[in-house]
Amino acid sequence: MNIKINGEYYKGEDGETLLELAKRNNIDIPSLCYKKGFEGLGRCRLCLVEVNDNGKTQTVSSCIYPIKDGIEVFTNTERIRKMRKDIILLLSLRAPNNEFINELAKEYDVQAPSRYLNPDEKENCILCGLCVEACEKLGTNAISLVGRGTTKAVSTPYDDASKDCIGCGACADVCPTGAISLIDIDGKRTIWNRTFNLVKCSICGKYYTTEDALEFIDEKLGIENQEHICQSCNKRLISKKFYL
Amino acid sequence: MAKNKDNDNSSTISIIKKYPMEQRYTLPILQDIQNEYGFIPRDAMVLISDYLLLPISNVYSMATFYKALSLKPKGKYTIKICDGTACHIRGSQSIKEEIEKMLNIQSGETTEDGLFSIETVNCLGACALAPVMMINGKYYGSLTKEKVKVIINKFKEGEIDE
Amino acid sequence: MSNFHNESRKILVCCGTGCLANGSYQVYEKFKKILHNNPNITIEPSIKTTGCNGLCEKGPVVKILPDQISYFKVSVDDVDQIVDETIVQGKIIDRLLYFDTNSKKRIRDHNDASFYKHQHKIALRNTGEIDPLHIEDYLERDGYKALKKVLFEMTPKDVISEIEKSNLRGRGGAGFPTGIKWRTCSNFDDFPKYVVCNGDEGDPGAFMDRSILEGDPNTIIEGMIICGYAIKSNKGFLYIRDEYELARKNMQVAIDNARKFGFLGQNILGSSFDFDLEIIRGGGAFVCGESSALMASIEGHVGEPRAKYIRSVERGLWNKPTVLNNVETWANIPPIIINGSEWFKSIGSEGNSGTKVFSLVGKVKNTGLVEIPMGTKLNELIFQIGGGLIKDRPFKAVQTGGPSGGCIPKEHLDIALDFESLNSIGSMMGSGGVIVMDDTTCMVELARYYMEFLAGESCGKCTTCREGINTMLQILKNITAGKGQLDDIDLLLQLGETIKEGSLCALGKTAPNPVLTTIKYFKDEYIDHIVNKKCSAGVCKNLTTYYIESDLCIGCGICSKKCPVDAISGILKEPHLINQDICIKCGDCFIACPSGAIKIGGANYEY
């Protein structure tokens, strides 16, 4: 199907979201809670754009909006630009000491009124929900979104060390604001109030994942005692095979 | 009504087993547990997640999202003060202050003897009787500070049995 | 005198939530005890409990038929006298009759009272007249007649066409045309389909759905079966709020009865159509009144809404086509089928057929449920039906549509109560809650109150709603505490716009309305709070000083007696004085003063 974006036409696939189509074509729409490989979440609201469908104009979050034939999209109107700034303003009020949010605020020329900024605020999480998605799709559902409204937070049940957590770190990987603490020291990893034993790569000797994560993958793939090879060594091995 | 937690989980299990093993029964099961114990015990959460084959983080999310459920035990008498708009403009705040003064706790807390909990809730649906409060499911309307004193004292002295 | 000695009498005792709270069940039991085998009565009257009559403040309500006598505020101690005088001797007890505040007269049949006279009951036609637990009562009043007509005289297309022609619009808030909703759903070739009743009435100030659920559950059941037939669905869900225990209880009894009589289950009345219903209990979350959050809740998830780019009629419960309608919408279906779409269109106004149930509450004399034709003017509702404001204090504003709606000031009192008119001035119909406010209501504090409510109820999914409402709340808290700045008003307007457009669901999108409308119509009050540090309504304690104007004080001493902290001193017949160091600013003296000598000054008032 043909979709008009900012005056130009682009070919879209059935079932694609507007954001996916935009990213494929290098059209700039900012987002925080979107990660390639995961379904859109619609939580951060930064990806808002205007869509004209059959004469009716709507503001939609492009990461979850399924494209339709004949729509006309505007990604950078005055209204959209204003809303983006307001959303970043709200996020910087929530997490004023987070470097990623502060960078975003600088990029979009946003300055929160100082009388509403708390200089001692330690919050880093913007509740985008990507970590929970990652743990659900790639891990063990060890963390979830807890509570509601302003008390909403990401945590393990009772904030205790979770029996389900395997220390894979997928959550910390996908987090857009670096809010999840993952500490690797002396062959041990501490994350979500639990400490795991790290495993060394049999080729390069560096620590790369936890014992529990390897066990988990073994179970999922139905193999026993897979070789301990880290991601970069694995890539090198594969490319060697292609070369030969 | 809060009852003593059962030690071998048998009554929790019998509550859970009344329902089919489908995710859509998570909330009803949690509500029955809340009814039985006055809160959701940790053991019960584990049993529910086992029974429904759901991650425990999932059940924990449900228990913390819905205000009908609580992780901490409530008092024997749960006083729900309505702060819906009709009650609000008819003085529910001063009713709340009076009850807080009488029981020496704030809304959201439970008295040390475990007898009373105070909660502020949104609209109980009895707006024509504003201001309204509910104690263990029973409505008390057209409240004044004086009426509230009488009602709470009756509960204190054990004259009302719910 | 009454002439009904030889006819069988009916005594209806209201047992809706409101009257129950006032002890009506004990009244009912006393009647039964005294009338059983009573030697003074030739024919034993039948005594029934009914659902809500809508005038809860004047309950317990007892109606006697066929005498057409209605007694209000009946206590257990009155029952003996009612039996002796009214039932046995046919005499009327004046003090228990309804007192009409407009005509200043006692009224025998409450239907003649100005509160009820202007009402036109369709959704509430049976509530308060029948025992909801006895399906026979419902059958006696055309119950399930519509269902029989639908099953044996109409095709599914006929049914949808009739509802479309009637122009019935959703009574839950948005006013979407019901017929179009059913038609769109029926066009999807995807099964199974579902029918859902939204009984998660969460708007503070609204209790019309509660009354219908408690008092006439069968009308909802019948409406849902008819929809099931029309869209080819065999399963329905009634999502009823956690707080409404009596409603769930009565609904379950009604479902069981309907099954016994063959109106629910397999092969309904031999028509080969199957349909059944299940009650779902809410978990205490206002956001679950939003249709996609409600469906998520039924599925066993937390009540987080989803974007409606694909509507629920296409993909709803478990991603299947679903029709969701509000309690009051369902209650209108059977009468429309029986009386026809033309009849329904003849009531109400252009584009807004039928009636709407409003819950008239707040500072108005007659508080309760009022069902009136769409398009009735707001001032008629408040002054004619409502009897005007309590103690005849000056009218300030009315809040319609709950936390999603806006406030309506004096200059719009002549507005028509229909969807478009209310939208045009920044408010909305919502569920029908109408909260009347006088000069002792602070509009800034009201905005703060609504933001506090919404902050606790927001599901927390999207940034604009979660952070936006919280930020607006902080700003309003500052203003009501006397720490506001003029920039705050601009910030509220700026953020309000973004929250309205950028939020995921209707809760977020409508959350700024109370703030935006109070700024629009009461900006002076905001400025007074910020610049003059003054709350003229006397609500924001930090910005209030009560003082006595000695020229007007007659020295009666009533204020001093009322004062809970002994802050007022003075000799009889001499001007009194309020000690500002002790005064807790409760305002009791201000309300009690018979000569209007007590005034409200700002935070820095000196005298």
Side-chain angles (χ1 to χ4, degrees), chain C residues 146 148-160 162 229 337:
Chain C
K148 289 180 191 147
K149 180 174 176 184
V150 157
L151 291 175
F152 300 111
E153 293 171 42
M154 297 170 84
T155 65
K157 279 198 166 60
D158 292 336
V159 176
I160 295 177
E162 189 69 352
Y229 175 79
I337 297 292

Side-chain angles (χ1 to χ4, degrees), chain C residues 32-52:
Chain C
K32 283 186 80 166
K33 198 166 123 200
I34 299 189
L35 289 167
H36 187 59
N37 292 332
N38 190 310
N40 296 327
I41 298 170
T42 36
I43 305 173
E44 188 168 321
S46 81
I47 308 153
K48 285 182 174 294
T49 57
T50 70
C52 184

Side-chain angles (χ1 to χ4, degrees), chain C residues 339-521:
Chain C
N339 301 314
S341 54
E342 289 309 309
W343 160 81
F344 194 71
K345 277 216 297 255
S346 73
I347 303 161
S349 59
E350 184 72 37
N352 288 270
S353 320
T355 57
K356 176 79 189 83
V357 181
F358 292 97
S359 73
L360 186 62
V361 292
K363 300 296 189 70
V364 66
K365 286 187 191 149
N366 301 324
T367 58
L369 295 180
V370 179
E371 186 170 4
I372 42 179
M374 285 275 205
T376 306
K377 300 259 181 222
L378 180 60
N379 50 20
E380 192 185 321
L381 175 62
I382 298 174
F383 295 99
Q384 218 174 54
I385 300 174
L389 274 82
I390 295 178
K391 294 210 172 107
D392 293 313
R393 290 204 78 89
F395 171 87
K396 187 163 187 182
V398 131
Q399 174 79 11
T400 65
S404 310
C407 70
I408 301 174
K410 231 177 9 200
E411 60 250 42
H412 288 303
L413 264 176
D414 59 349
I415 197 122
L417 291 163
D418 64 56
F419 291 104
E420 281 71 34
S421 302
L422 290 168
N423 284 349
S424 73
I425 54 169
S427 185
M428 66 186 267
M429 180 82 74
S431 57
V434 176
I435 306 178
V436 180
M437 298 170 232
D438 62 18
D439 62 331
T440 63
T441 307
C442 171
M443 300 313 282
V444 187
E445 203 282 332
L446 185 77
R448 184 209 63 78
Y449 159 81
Y450 275 124
M451 285 309 105
E452 181 146 49
F453 170 78
L454 290 167
E457 296 294 342
S458 161
C459 78
K461 180 171 178 177
C462 71
T463 306
T464 43
C465 171
R466 184 189 68 241
E467 304 303 329
I469 291 177
N470 191 37
T471 305
M472 286 203 291
L473 174 62
Q474 298 312 315
I475 298 171
L476 288 162
K477 273 186 174 167
N478 269 0
I479 298 177
T480 52
K483 303 198 201 120
Q485 290 186 22
L486 277 174
D487 278 351
D488 286 340
I489 299 181
D490 296 321
L491 190 55
L492 285 171
L493 292 172
Q494 173 193 332
L495 290 175
E497 247 182 65
T498 295
I499 297 165
K500 268 188 90 133
E501 260 206 78
S503 296
L504 181 75
C505 81
L507 188 154
K509 283 187 203 276
T510 58
N513 286 348
V515 180
L516 297 177
T517 51
T518 49
I519 292 177
K520 179 174 177 188
Y521 294 117

Side-chain angles (χ1 to χ4, degrees), chain A residues 45 59 79 82 86 115 152, chain C residues 459 488 494 498 501-502:
Chain A
R45 314 310 288 165
T59 305
R79 273 205 356 239
K82 179 210 183 251
D86 282 344
R115 66 184 183 283
K152 210 171 187 86
Chain C
C459 78
D488 286 340
Q494 173 193 332
T498 295
E501 260 206 78

Side-chain angles (χ1 to χ4, degrees), chain A residues 207-236:
Chain A
Y207 287 116
Y208 74 108
T209 191
T210 64
E211 280 173 356
D212 296 60
L214 283 176
E215 257 179 62
F216 175 73
I217 297 171
D218 281 351
E219 242 191 86
K220 272 218 155 167
L221 296 176
I223 51 182
E224 275 185 39
N225 290 327
Q226 59 171 298
E227 281 207 63
H228 296 171
I229 303 176
C230 75
Q231 243 189 342
S232 29
C233 290
N234 203 19
K235 274 198 199 139
R236 239 176 273 134

